[in-house]
Amino acid sequence: HLTVILTASDIISTVEFNHTGELLATGDKGGRVVIFQREQESKNQPHRRGEYNVYSTFQSHEPEFDYLKSLEIEEKINKIRWLPQQNAAYFLLSTNDKTVKLWKVSERDKRPEGYNLKDEDGRLRDPSMITMLRVPVLRPMDLMVEATPRRVFANAHTYHINSISVNSDYETYMSADDLRINLWNFEITNQSFNIVDIKPANMEELTEVITAAEFHPHHCNTFVYSSSKGTIRLCDMRASALCDRHSKFFEEPEDPSNRSFFSEIISSISDVKFSHSGRYIMTRDYLTVKVWDLNMENRPIETYQVHDYLRSKLCSLYENDCIFDKFECVWNGSDSVIMTGSYNNFFRMFDRNTKRDVTLEASRENSKPRAILKPRKVCVGGKRRKDEISVDSLDFSKKILHTAWHPSENIIAVAATNNLYIFQDKVN
Amino acid sequence: MEVQKEAQRIMTLSVWKMYNSRLQRGGLRLHRSLQLSLVMRSAREVYLSAKLEEDEEGRLGPQPGPAEEGAGQTPSGDLPPATPAPGAGRQPARGGSLPPPGKASRKRRSSSLDKPGAAEAGLVPTKKARLEAEEEEGERQPQGQDGPFPSLAKVLQTRFSGMLRGGPAKGPEPTPGCRPGDGVLSILVRAVVAF
């Protein structure tokens, strides 16, 4: 059930829990990052256990202008990825179309007082007035959370960055654009290694682009990237410096009965995610979510229909540009349930074990705090039952592209345009 | 026939989307451009094969070239349209030729005169000098490859010039909100090579 709705001032463009689930970061179209922190459990207020509140807000990226190409570079945050916590501070990567930044988020709850050369306001003291030395002491102050940019990784991408992924070695990460993937070391900002380059010598021969990329959760030499043609390539960085030859190639043969003007474009993969176990990958294309076993390349092991009733509406969806929407998908902590978004503020969950699925709605009307979400159903034809909604009544401007699942608990964050919904499963 | 109309509508829509994507913040997106050109190509293939069937049922003769040359001024737009080769209003020799949308290149044919928009769509630009100037700018790549972009550029050059020059669509285009893009062709050619 719902615990929190937060309204951002701008359209949310990415949502990500950190590795413990204590923090939830959102990025928006205006280049801002907002981090929420889960309240500690306290005996005094048990009903507020586990609520997320704003922890830090900062402007990550600003609009820029590429003078050479006379193009504006949007400040929209495309992706945020957390680094695992190694000390008291939190680190995250945020990226727009061209530049990746490493941010340090740290708390300050003590302040040194008793400087010798300056007074409490910071003004310099007259040295001739100082008659004795003292050692400054740390005194408590109101908690301040500050975000500072520690690294800026710029000028490495000609095309638009669509993915970033932190390696399990915690020393490197990759950034992927339409045609190239670069490998970075966190400490080095003026160089990166190009590990994938699919740009053809003649651009007129271009037939596919990279749409998403991710490192394997445990094997630091392995990563996957998906393409606009609906294929996934798994690469091993030990094989060669430039991973243009894949180790594995995942592709499902096309179903000829489904051919239309738009078959090619709806097979484009919008998101690829490794399972937590590292054994499976999940891909999202326009109408389906697929789970692939890394050991089987010729077809997915599971295919889930997200909103197959849209298959007959592809032409209208092309007209209103919805067919280009890039939905993401997520695993739950145990890899037993997968979740993805749809239209009309609906999002779908599929239980891989029971094969049951549910459609839920993220809307203010239906969501009161601690109310239980009611499953929704889309009526595909014939008689519409009460509580069902017909395909033609769906609001295509209300799309859920970004969702996140807590790494270990049943807490999900759902971004519906500029509203963030956090749902928790409380078993009392 | 319906299939043909639908394919044509989708092609027109795609061109308009391509033009519009150029104007959005952040500039052209490679993936989006690729997707649009793929749809264009599918629609074109369907259109051509449907047209082929129609042609087999007995075609009218080739287009008169001179009557359609030269008159059209681009209503607006900062980029000059890259025009097709002269006489593009004529049906090219190879099979499966396709008149501009609105079937309006058949200006002299009585069967087309009663179609709305025939007259203005008959303003097929044939400013070859302009085309050559663009080539000299080094913006044209050699044609002939099989990727999505050259076929798109080719299609636009030879098929859609009438539509592009026609200004606001008063033709039979049923697509809501679909306007021909002024100077789209040159934009698209530049789009291909911009990356």
Side-chain angles (χ1 to χ4, degrees):
Chain A
H1 53 268
L2 174 75
T3 50
V4 171
I5 307 175
L6 299 132
T7 301
S9 53
D10 214 336
I11 296 172
I12 297 171
S13 49
T14 184
V15 188
E16 187 83 354
F17 280 100
N18 75 339
H19 293 260
T20 59
E22 181 204 352
L23 298 180
L24 175 66
T26 61
D28 68 24
K29 238 179 103 193
R32 273 174 305 269
V33 171
V34 180
I35 302 176
F36 302 91
Q37 184 186 44
R38 195 175 184 196
E39 271 193 26
Q40 298 297 337
E41 296 186 16
S42 98
K43 292 191 173 58
N44 300 337
Q45 294 182 318
H47 62 281
R48 291 184 64 82
R49 180 173 58 107
E51 277 193 14
Y52 283 84
N53 299 311
V54 178
Y55 178 65
S56 173
T57 303
F58 57 93
Q59 186 76 31
S60 171
H61 287 72
E62 299 273 4
E64 287 175 56
F65 198 78
D66 180 338
Y67 294 97
L68 195 62
K69 294 183 190 163
S70 285
L71 282 180
E72 207 179 344
I73 300 170
E74 279 188 90
E75 66 276 29
K76 173 167 78 89
I77 309 292
N78 292 336
K79 284 282 165 20
I80 289 174
R81 289 288 182 264
W82 290 93
L83 268 67
Q85 198 173 3
Q86 291 174 306
N87 53 37
Y90 304 102
F91 288 87
L92 62 80
L93 286 174
S94 71
T95 187
N96 68 349
D97 283 336
K98 295 288 182 180
T99 303
V100 185
K101 293 188 185 180
L102 176 69
W103 287 89
K104 175 181 176 184
V105 181
S106 49
E107 291 181 10
R108 195 196 288 267
D109 63 355
K110 291 187 185 46
R111 172 176 60 210
E113 287 177 16
Y115 282 105
N116 290 292
L117 296 176
K118 53 181 178 171
D119 63 23
E120 300 311 323
D121 299 327
R123 283 181 303 221
L124 290 173
R125 292 166 75 191
D126 182 358
S128 62
M129 303 290 286
I130 299 170
T131 53
M132 56 179 234
L133 276 180
R134 55 185 177 173
V135 178
V137 291
L138 292 173
R139 295 213 191 283
M141 59 180 258
D142 289 338
L143 179 66
M144 194 168 75
V145 181
E146 36 184 29
T148 46
R150 301 297 300 189
R151 306 271 187 276
V152 177
F153 305 93
N155 304 318
H157 285 280
T158 309
Y159 305 96
H160 296 110
I161 297 174
N162 52 54
S163 311
I164 45 175
S165 179
V166 179
N167 203 349
S168 52
D169 64 8
Y170 303 156
E171 287 183 6
T172 57
Y173 76 93
M174 67 166 156
S175 55
D177 67 29
D178 293 315
L179 297 179
R180 297 194 179 100
I181 302 181
N182 293 329
L183 181 72
W184 301 84
N185 182 300
F186 281 111
E187 301 302 319
I188 301 169
T189 59
N190 59 359
Q191 292 183 52
S192 65
F193 288 104
N194 175 239
I195 54 175
V196 173
D197 188 340
I198 64 167
K199 182 176 178 184
N202 184 351
M203 278 298 278
E204 294 193 353
E205 289 163 4
L206 181 75
T207 54
E208 68 182 326
V209 297
I210 298 168
T211 52
E214 195 180 51
F215 270 116
H216 191 283
H218 314 308
H219 305 312
C220 57
N221 53 286
T222 304
F223 65 92
V224 293
Y225 68 91
S226 58
S227 84
S228 53
K229 274 189 171 172
T231 63
I232 307 103
R233 287 170 178 79
L234 183 134
C235 299
D236 187 334
M237 293 196 291
R238 297 171 301 188
S240 71
L242 188 61
C243 300
D244 275 357
R245 281 216 297 258
H246 50 261
S247 302
K248 289 187 195 247
F249 181 72
F250 300 86
E251 184 180 30
E252 183 176 27
E254 194 194 342
D255 180 359
S257 64
N258 274 335
R259 268 207 75 74
S260 72
F261 290 124
F262 311 104
S263 316
E264 275 174 299
I265 68 174
I266 63 167
S267 65
S268 176
I269 292 174
S270 50
D271 195 16
V272 66
K273 292 267 175 37
F274 272 101
S275 63
H276 291 91
S277 62
R279 271 202 62 190
Y280 305 102
I281 46 177
M282 168 168 54
T283 58
R284 176 70 155 98
D285 53 59
Y286 191 63
L287 297 177
T288 71
V289 187
K290 294 178 180 160
V291 176
W292 306 73
D293 187 318
L294 284 191
N295 298 317
M296 188 162 74
E297 298 169 53
N298 59 349
R299 59 180 173 81
I301 56 168
E302 294 153 31
T303 299
Y304 300 94
Q305 302 293 335
V306 181
H307 36 217
D308 201 56
Y309 45 79
L310 298 182
R311 197 178 287 274
S312 54
K313 308 254 180 248
L314 293 179
C315 197
S316 319
L317 295 165
Y318 181 70
E319 282 174 37
N320 64 14
D321 278 350
C322 284
I323 206 172
F324 301 111
D325 287 334
K326 296 185 165 72
F327 292 94
E328 292 171 8
C329 52
V330 289
W331 298 88
N332 75 337
S334 58
D335 299 334
S336 59
V337 183
I338 57 183
M339 175 168 70
T340 189
S342 179
Y343 294 104
N344 209 74
N345 280 349
F346 288 167
F347 57 101
R348 304 261 283 138
M349 288 191 204
F350 302 92
D351 189 316
R352 296 178 60 217
N353 301 323
T354 65
K355 300 303 179 200
R356 286 202 341 244
D357 62 86
V358 68
T359 305
L360 299 169
E361 182 179 1
S363 79
R364 285 181 183 273
E365 295 83 41
N366 299 342
S367 307
K368 299 193 179 14
R370 278 169 277 288
I372 296 182
L373 281 180
K374 204 176 59 175
R376 305 301 309 252
K377 194 149 164 56
V378 177
C379 158
V380 289
K383 215 153 147 25
R384 183 179 77 87
R385 285 196 219 125
K386 179 168 116 72
D387 279 359
E388 284 186 359
I389 181 164
S390 72
V391 179
D392 297 314
S393 321
L394 292 175
D395 188 343
F396 288 95
S397 67
K398 294 187 178 156
K399 52 194 84 171
I400 292 181
L401 304 174
H402 312 289
T403 60
W405 205 309
H406 189 285
S408 51
E409 296 185 37
N410 279 346
I411 305 172
I412 58 175
V414 175
T417 319
N418 62 340
N419 290 316
L420 179 72
Y421 294 78
I422 301 178
F423 299 104
Q424 299 195 18
D425 197 19
K426 284 216 167 66
V427 184
N428 285 320
Chain B
M1 200 51 192
E2 278 309 310
V3 170
Q4 205 177 339
K5 272 204 172 118
E6 181 65 4
Q8 199 175 74
R9 187 175 78 85
I10 288 174
M11 283 192 289
T12 314
L13 186 57
S14 304
V15 168
W16 181 77
K17 283 184 188 296
M18 275 217 163
Y19 175 68
N20 257 25
S21 67
R22 182 86 169 169
L23 304 175
Q24 71 183 35
R25 266 187 99 207
L28 268 178
R29 306 224 151 224
L30 188 62
H31 188 196
R32 179 67 63 100
S33 306
L34 181 63
Q35 287 177 309
L36 289 172
S37 63
L38 288 173
V39 171
M40 267 288 277
R41 191 170 59 168
S42 297
R44 175 173 164 258
E45 280 165 9
V46 168
Y47 186 94
L48 290 180
S49 53
K51 186 78 185 67
L52 212 54
E53 285 175 25
E54 188 196 309
D55 288 348
E56 281 163 9
E57 294 163 15
R59 258 173 57 173
L60 307 168
Q63 292 307 300
E68 297 167 356
E69 287 184 16
Q73 272 298 317
T74 316
S76 64
D78 43 349
L79 287 170
T83 60
R90 295 192 198 92
Q91 297 295 346
R94 54 201 155 110
S97 59
L98 169 62
K103 305 176 191 52
S105 64
R106 304 183 180 193
K107 188 176 148 183
R108 293 260 172 100
R109 312 303 315 182
S110 57
S111 63
S112 70
L113 283 176
D114 54 347
K115 287 192 167 75
E120 76 208 10
L123 298 173
V124 176
T126 53
K127 294 183 192 166
K128 184 175 187 188
R130 184 70 86 159
L131 180 64
E132 280 172 349
E134 289 203 353
E135 288 185 54
E136 281 158 14
E137 288 173 72
E139 298 216 332
R140 297 272 321 273
Q141 300 258 351
Q143 300 291 317
Q145 286 85 356
D146 215 11
F149 291 112
S151 55
L152 168 67
K154 238 187 283 179
V155 163
L156 291 169
Q157 283 164 26
T158 57
R159 316 299 187 211
F160 291 97
S161 50
M163 178 268 291
L164 291 174
R165 289 305 212 118
K170 293 174 224 153
E173 293 310 319
T175 311
C178 170
R179 309 180 267 116
D182 300 317
V184 170
L185 189 58
S186 66
I187 292 167
L188 287 159
V189 170
R190 288 172 196 207
V192 171
V193 302
F195 289 103

